[in-house]
Amino acid sequence: MANTVSAKKATRKIARRTAVNMNRRSRIRSFMRKVEEAIAAGDAKAASDALKAAQPEIMRAASKGVLHKNTASRKISRLASRVKAIAS
């Protein structure tokens, strides 16, 4: 248990930051789910639009430290290749 003023403050900061990161992570998952659903439905136009909306969100999460940069790039790459596969 934190017993110094600075340790208590650090605990409060960590709690706030954790809440922000959880919201960002949830938002990313929502955007990715929309792409997945469009792919499953076979709707190339909707999947493409959803991917265009998801890309900046995923990269924003990477820039904020929620995801590693390579992880974000990998997720975008895999989604893009799947969208491309249903488009053709």
Side-chain angles (χ1 to χ4, degrees):
M1 182 63 202
N3 58 359
T4 63
V5 175
S6 60
K8 288 177 183 176
K9 180 179 179 180
T11 303
R12 292 192 305 269
K13 284 173 63 176
I14 290 166
R16 282 194 303 266
R17 179 57 40 205
T18 299
V20 169
N21 286 343
M22 282 171 49
N23 285 338
R24 285 196 178 115
R25 197 170 294 120
S26 173
R27 190 170 162 85
I28 294 163
R29 289 185 185 130
S30 297
F31 276 93
M32 290 180 64
R33 187 173 57 251
K34 287 176 188 169
V35 178
E36 294 284 350
E37 288 170 356
I39 290 170
D43 190 350
K45 175 84 171 95
S48 178
D49 291 343
L51 179 62
K52 284 179 184 163
Q55 277 180 318
E57 288 297 325
I58 294 170
M59 290 315 294
R60 187 171 299 120
S63 70
K64 300 294 183 183
V66 178
L67 292 177
H68 191 274
K69 185 179 70 164
N70 291 354
T71 302
S73 294
R74 185 181 67 241
K75 287 181 183 297
I76 290 170
S77 176
R78 288 180 180 174
L79 284 174
S81 64
R82 290 177 61 202
V83 168
K84 185 178 177 183
I86 66 165
S88 58

